Amino acid sequence: MEVDGEEFLLQSFINNFRYLIAKNLKASHILPFMIQCYPALGQSAKGIKRFEKLNQNAEATEFFLDELLDLDGESGLRIHSNFMLALKDGGYDKLWNMLNGSIIDDKQQLVLINLFFKSLVEEINLMDILPKLIENNMINQSDREEILAEERIRGNQAAVLSMIIVLPERQTKWFNLFLDSLYHTRYEELVKKIDPDFYSGKGIYDKVGDKIKKLGASNDECSSDTRSFRMDVAEPKNEENLAGVEPDIIVTSSTPGKRDIPDAAAFSDHEEESRECDTRNSSQRVPGDHQTTTVKTIDPDSQMDLETDDVTINRQNDLSLNTDIKTHEKEVKEKNIPVTPTEPDSEKIFDDAINSNEEMDIKMPEVEHKELEMRNYQLELAHPAINGKNTIICAPTGSGKTHVALKIAKNHLDKGKRSGNKGFDKVIFLVNKVPLAKQQHDMFRQYLSDYDSVMVHGEQKDTPPLKINMAKNDIVVLTAQILVDALNAEDEKERASLSQATLMIFDECHHTNKGHPYNQIMGLYLDERVDHPKNPLPQVVGLTASLGVGKAKNIKEAQRHILTLCANLDADCISTVNKALGELMDHVNVPNREVKTVPSRDRDPFKSAIEDIIRQIEKKMKTIVDMNEEVKHLDTVLGTCPPQKGSDPYTQWISQLNKPIVQLPDPKVRRRLKACRNYLKEYNVALIINNDSRMKDALNHLNQELIKNVTHVDQTHLVDTEKWLQQLFQEKLPILTKLSSSTDYPNPKLETLKALLLEAYRVNSNTRGIIFVKVSKKK
């Protein structure tokens, strides 16, 4: 059906290009435009801003894309069209071109920028070139504000660095425009150094390899035997690790792990990127994926040029660039450039905090130790995790999943203790809410009393940094947001690291999606795994009573939801009870699942009568549109009418009719079509009620809703269409009343339900049950 088709096209577009969009777009730049089109998106602004405050721009954009998919009652094609307009309006010409099939290959220009990176950062004065960049549409207003803020906070060099990273994201011809802007703002010598042929008509496209060799022979910046420009999100390198590498080429971060600068989408090979986007969809991706790009050593004496192997792009998932001028601290001091001082005794303070004999955590009352006794089905659930696999444990409520987690944690810590590593292994147990933190912490204290444990949550005051609590304790039970904040702390002395833990357990792990703190944590986990595969990371275990199916409408979508959850948690397997199922049934009240297939009524004249009324109203609407030239565009909307009345697609179609009708300029035409649409809605609801209940229940609905139009509306001012709709209902009312009073057309669903209830009460007179019904939302 057409409406479903539009939704499918939008979903396919976003899924196919999700990675590319998340990598190149900052959602807040186009959010105001999209909110004008879809006010409901205003509720998403806070979540997007929260991600971006944590420098998680890719996650913010993914969250934004999910919100687009969740827009109810909106045309998928129109959403796509407005999204592309927003990109144009926001200055994302390059991304717009890529999404329209234009493949941009700017690898060679990027190599030259990398080679002259130090000169660009040190020689350019931001205020000289910024107006020219704006004039050439190379940066948008949001970029300008962010770059100026960077200049105010961290100085000219940091701001120029941010500017250079943004430039390739906006324009397809960014390199030429950038050199042109430099040339016209007194930086002619810098332009000649980067590309001597720029104004001679030759440019960098002719013999880039020769140019690199020429640069190696003439440029003092490239005189070192070893030069590399590394771009990653690594933990801080020790000073000795930088020995032998020119500091003017390496740019690292004084705040490791914090992405001060959004994804440097510019420094990538878009041709390869486009191929990746065609094969990846959202169910295969995990939030927070990142790539590492390394421009390898370029030997000035080498005969290799760019057409062979002197530049290698090593991409894992997404590309991020952490930068900080403090890497050049020595040079900055020599030039007497003021830098932000660090706390003089911060290192000593941190060490003293860990080694202090003072009790820094909250005193907890003593609890009685209990022995951990396990049932066979619980051991079966724990088995994969005990063997070291990342595992999602799925078992019914009341089956003792916390005991399973305790067993896994105890085995993990005992193993380290036996090997002489007591104090090295650390367990993090994550919960959603503060009451759960206390409840689960009490369990750990009772059953794992041989190990030191602490509870940390947002309602506590004057607690030491999480990094210290993790260093002092074997087990940390905490709310997820506490860990998110600690992993992204600006102060390096307070910033926690996932490598501090060896086992991480997520309670109610089915929440690991979209912008949930669980997913933010796993995003950082997966970043680290991709960017630094040799770094240690904790084993991951999730606990849940149900994996859920999200908004799936069929088995395939449900499977995709579950696979996405597994990917988000980096799970190797899902552990359920199979061998000890009988024991589980003895201890847990698991309801039997039985599906009863019930046919429709053999004959349903009430339904036929309502469908006949609906067809007459549809025909009336078509006549009104045909008679008014200014609303001919509604022909397309009316032409998408689903044939099956009383169905979900038809309900959705009626909902989508509202917006184009209320926007019609002619008040008379608008009133006529709106009246028809309102009557269609009520007749459609009557069909839904008739399908699940009695005919007289459906008629009662019509009497309540349509009679109101007669009694509550001034009949002297009705337009012809409103009179016709009332008359049509009055004409059909006698036959509808007669049919609804007949006992010849019982509903098989109600008959089957009645039989099930009577049988249940016959077997057990104390039976209690819940009947769930579908409730129609009025719009």
Side-chain angles (χ1 to χ4, degrees):
M1 283 169 243
E2 192 72 27
V3 172
D4 288 342
E6 287 191 14
E7 290 178 356
F8 175 77
L9 288 173
L10 177 66
Q11 191 173 34
S12 297
F13 169 77
I14 288 180
N15 287 344
N16 286 334
F17 293 106
R18 177 181 289 268
Y19 165 69
L20 180 64
I21 296 169
K23 181 172 175 298
N24 289 280
L25 172 65
K26 191 167 184 180
S28 61
H29 287 178
I30 68 168
L31 189 59
F33 182 98
M34 294 301 289
I35 289 176
Q36 286 183 352
C37 300
Y38 307 103
L41 288 175
Q43 300 174 6
S44 311
K46 188 178 291 185
I48 292 170
K49 292 290 186 183
R50 186 166 60 247
F51 275 123
E52 292 184 353
K53 270 191 173 181
L54 295 172
N55 287 326
Q56 296 175 345
N57 295 313
E59 288 85 347
T61 302
E62 290 230 30
F63 176 75
F64 169 68
L65 294 176
D66 288 334
E67 294 300 306
L68 287 185
L69 289 174
D70 287 343
L71 285 173
D72 290 330
E74 300 291 351
S75 162
L77 292 177
R78 183 60 61 89
I79 293 173
H80 169 267
S81 175
N82 287 331
F83 175 73
M84 297 299 285
L85 285 173
L87 292 181
K88 274 285 189 184
D89 183 73
Y92 284 91
D93 291 8
K94 187 172 182 180
L95 178 57
W96 188 92
N97 281 319
M98 287 191 283
L99 294 178
N100 276 288
S102 300
I103 298 175
I104 313 301
D105 186 359
D106 48 9
K107 175 171 61 181
Q108 297 168 350
Q109 298 102 311
L110 291 170
V111 172
L112 286 176
I113 292 295
N114 293 344
L115 288 173
F116 291 96
F117 194 79
K118 181 171 181 285
S119 292
L120 290 167
V121 170
E122 290 187 348
E123 295 182 27
I124 295 175
N125 184 301
L126 178 70
M127 296 308 173
D128 290 342
I129 194 171
L130 196 59
K132 191 66 178 178
L133 296 178
I134 295 172
E135 179 185 330
N136 287 339
N137 293 322
M138 295 194 69
I139 61 174
N140 57 35
Q141 187 62 28
S142 298
D143 295 329
R144 175 183 175 276
E145 292 171 2
E146 290 170 9
I147 293 169
L148 288 175
E150 189 79 2
E151 193 271 340
R152 287 194 300 272
I153 296 169
R154 299 175 64 194
N156 181 75
Q157 291 189 1
V160 172
L161 179 61
S162 297
M163 176 196 75
I164 292 171
I165 290 171
V166 166
L167 292 181
E169 299 178 9
R170 300 290 178 259
Q171 293 277 358
T172 54
K173 298 180 180 179
W174 66 272
F175 185 78
N176 288 346
L177 287 171
F178 178 48
L179 293 190
D180 181 77
S181 299
L182 286 174
Y183 189 87
H184 287 95
T185 49
R186 74 175 177 81
Y187 293 104
E188 298 96 335
E189 293 304 315
L190 186 55
V191 173
K192 291 176 183 178
K193 189 189 296 186
I194 296 172
D195 185 10
D197 301 320
F198 182 70
Y199 279 102
S200 67
K202 185 177 180 183
I204 69 163
Y205 295 104
D206 298 326
K207 293 185 178 180
V208 177
D210 292 339
K211 183 173 294 300
I212 297 296
K213 286 182 280 185
K214 181 167 63 176
L215 291 172
S218 62
N219 184 9
D220 57 355
E221 286 185 286
C222 302
S223 59
S224 173
D225 289 335
T226 304
R227 73 177 52 79
S228 65
F229 180 54
R230 294 181 55 81
M231 298 175 282
D232 58 32
V233 199
E235 291 296 323
K237 306 286 191 302
N238 294 328
E239 290 296 326
E240 56 265 29
N241 292 341
L242 298 179
V245 183
E246 286 191 356
D248 60 322
I249 302 298
I250 292 187
V251 183
T252 56
S253 174
S254 67
T255 55
K258 177 177 182 293
R259 293 173 191 167
D260 296 318
I261 298 172
D263 292 340
F267 295 89
S268 62
D269 179 352
H270 295 301
E271 184 170 1
E272 179 180 341
E273 176 181 83
S274 297
R275 291 196 296 269
E276 288 182 331
C277 294
D278 289 338
T279 59
R280 297 184 64 179
N281 59 39
S282 60
S283 66
Q284 295 166 321
R285 278 196 78 251
V286 286
D289 289 355
H290 291 279
Q291 295 173 333
T292 298
T293 296
T294 302
V295 179
K296 285 189 174 180
T297 300
I298 302 175
D299 187 347
D301 299 323
S302 170
Q303 295 303 309
M304 291 190 302
D305 61 24
L306 291 179
E307 300 304 316
T308 55
D309 282 328
D310 62 306
V311 176
T312 300
I313 303 296
N314 172 27
R315 56 185 72 244
Q316 301 281 347
N317 279 328
D318 192 8
L319 176 62
S320 296
L321 174 60
N322 245 359
T323 58
D324 196 334
I325 303 306
K326 282 182 69 179
T327 304
H328 306 296
E329 186 173 1
K330 182 177 178 182
E331 297 177 24
V332 170
K333 286 180 179 177
E334 291 173 355
K335 296 178 182 178
N336 294 320
I337 299 175
V339 296
T340 304
T342 58
E343 290 290 337
D345 297 322
S346 57
E347 190 73 43
K348 183 176 183 299
I349 291 170
F350 178 71
D351 291 337
D352 289 346
I354 294 180
N355 298 320
S356 173
N357 291 324
E358 297 178 14
E359 192 62 41
M360 297 186 69
D361 46 56
I362 297 172
K363 291 282 187 181
M364 300 296 293
E366 293 296 325
V367 294
E368 181 183 352
H369 173 74
K370 293 183 180 180
E371 291 298 325
L372 186 60
E373 298 179 359
M374 302 290 290
R375 298 181 181 129
N376 290 329
Y377 72 81
Q378 291 173 328
L379 291 172
E380 182 182 350
L381 288 169
H383 182 73
I386 287 175
N387 286 339
K389 292 184 177 181
N390 283 4
T391 306
I392 295 176
I393 293 168
C394 185
T397 302
S399 59
K401 290 186 291 297
T402 301
H403 274 69
V404 176
L406 291 168
K407 177 64 177 176
I408 295 168
K410 186 177 188 304
N411 184 84
H412 183 82
L413 294 171
D414 286 351
K415 186 177 179 181
K417 187 177 179 181
R418 288 193 299 270
S419 63
N421 289 330
K422 186 177 187 298
F424 174 78
D425 292 313
K426 307 285 183 182
V427 175
I428 293 177
F429 191 95
L430 292 153
V431 297
N432 263 319
K433 300 175 182 177
V434 173
L436 289 176
K438 185 180 186 310
Q439 175 186 323
Q440 303 293 34
H441 183 228
D442 287 344
M443 296 285 283
F444 275 95
R445 294 177 66 225
Q446 287 175 349
Y447 290 99
L448 276 69
S449 56
D450 290 343
Y451 296 97
D452 295 326
S453 64
V454 67
M455 172 181 62
V456 184
H457 56 75
E459 294 181 5
Q460 294 170 332
K461 296 181 179 179
D462 302 324
T463 56
L466 180 62
K467 185 175 184 178
I468 296 176
N469 269 323
M470 290 175 68
K472 291 183 61 180
N473 293 277
D474 303 300
I475 302 162
V476 181
V477 179
L478 73 165
T479 48
Q481 190 60 49
I482 294 291
L483 181 56
V484 172
D485 294 341
L487 293 172
N488 292 286
E490 292 189 9
D491 187 346
E492 184 179 349
K493 303 306 176 186
E494 295 189 359
R495 189 181 312 127
S497 169
L498 288 173
S499 60
Q500 286 183 264
T502 52
L503 174 64
M504 190 160 53
I505 303 173
F506 292 83
D507 194 26
E508 305 293 339
C509 69
H510 53 271
H511 293 298
T512 313
N513 54 41
K514 293 189 177 180
H516 193 279
Y518 281 0
N519 213 25
Q520 295 181 46
I521 293 166
M522 284 308 300
L524 295 171
Y525 172 100
L526 292 160
D527 289 351
E528 186 71 10
R529 177 178 172 180
V530 169
D531 293 342
H532 308 101
K534 293 183 180 180
N535 286 1
L537 283 172
Q539 178 187 355
V540 177
V541 174
L543 310 175
T544 183
S546 172
L547 298 172
V549 296
K551 295 184 177 181
K553 297 178 181 178
N554 52 54
I555 293 176
K556 187 174 181 180
E557 290 180 3
Q559 290 173 339
R560 183 179 299 169
H561 173 85
I562 293 172
L563 288 173
T564 300
L565 181 63
C566 291
N568 291 350
L569 284 162
D570 197 30
D572 299 314
C573 65
I574 300 173
S575 180
T576 58
V577 179
N578 292 299
K579 296 178 182 178
L581 192 57
E583 184 188 39
L584 174 68
M585 301 297 289
D586 291 339
H587 289 90
V588 181
N589 184 22
V590 181
N592 293 324
R593 295 187 179 186
E594 184 180 0
V595 178
K596 290 282 187 181
T597 303
V598 182
S600 302
R601 293 180 177 92
D602 292 335
R603 291 187 303 136
D604 196 343
F606 185 90
K607 176 183 177 182
S608 300
I610 296 294
E611 288 178 337
D612 179 63
I613 296 172
I614 289 176
R615 282 190 289 270
Q616 290 187 55
I617 297 175
E618 291 172 353
K619 187 176 179 181
K620 183 73 170 180
M621 295 178 76
K622 183 72 168 60
T623 302
I624 294 171
V625 169
D626 290 342
M627 292 173 60
N628 296 272
E629 195 65 33
E630 68 275 14
V631 295
K632 289 291 285 182
H633 63 280
L634 286 180
D635 261 340
T636 305
V637 181
L638 296 177
T640 63
C641 173
Q644 188 176 354
K645 321 304 177 188
S647 64
D648 286 340
Y650 196 85
T651 303
Q652 192 174 28
W653 177 77
I654 292 174
S655 176
Q656 291 173 346
L657 273 179
N658 188 55
K659 188 172 181 179
I661 289 175
V662 298
Q663 291 178 345
L664 293 176
D666 189 327
K668 291 183 179 179
V669 176
R670 183 170 64 242
R671 181 171 177 175
R672 290 187 177 96
L673 290 175
K674 187 176 180 181
C676 291
R677 183 255 177 198
N678 290 342
Y679 270 78
L680 279 182
K681 183 182 73 171
E682 303 307 338
Y683 284 121
N684 187 63
V685 171
L687 285 179
I688 295 172
I689 295 172
N690 179 63
N691 185 53
D692 293 329
S693 190
R694 301 170 299 179
M695 292 178 179
K696 70 176 183 179
D697 297 319
L699 183 59
N700 285 341
H701 170 78
L702 291 176
N703 281 325
Q704 289 173 7
E705 297 302 321
L706 300 186
I707 293 297
K708 283 193 299 188
N709 291 335
V710 178
T711 56
H712 295 170
V713 177
D714 185 355
Q715 300 295 306
T716 60
H717 293 88
L718 292 179
V719 297
D720 54 350
T721 303
E722 290 169 331
K723 293 177 180 178
W724 177 82
L725 289 166
Q726 288 186 6
Q727 184 180 352
L728 181 62
F729 175 64
Q730 294 299 330
E731 288 176 358
K732 298 292 183 178
L733 186 57
I735 184 64
L736 294 175
T737 303
K738 181 179 178 181
L739 290 171
S740 65
S741 303
S742 174
T743 58
D744 296 337
Y745 315 106
N747 192 326
K749 289 184 180 179
L750 294 180
E751 296 298 312
T752 303
L753 178 61
K754 178 181 176 181
L756 288 172
L757 293 174
L758 290 174
E759 177 61 18
Y761 280 106
R762 186 189 67 78
V763 174
N764 181 1
S765 59
N766 293 320
T767 293
R768 297 291 182 272
I770 301 174
I771 299 173
F772 295 96
V773 297
K774 183 176 181 180
V775 179
S776 174
K777 293 181 181 179
K778 292 188 178 182
K779 296 183 180 180

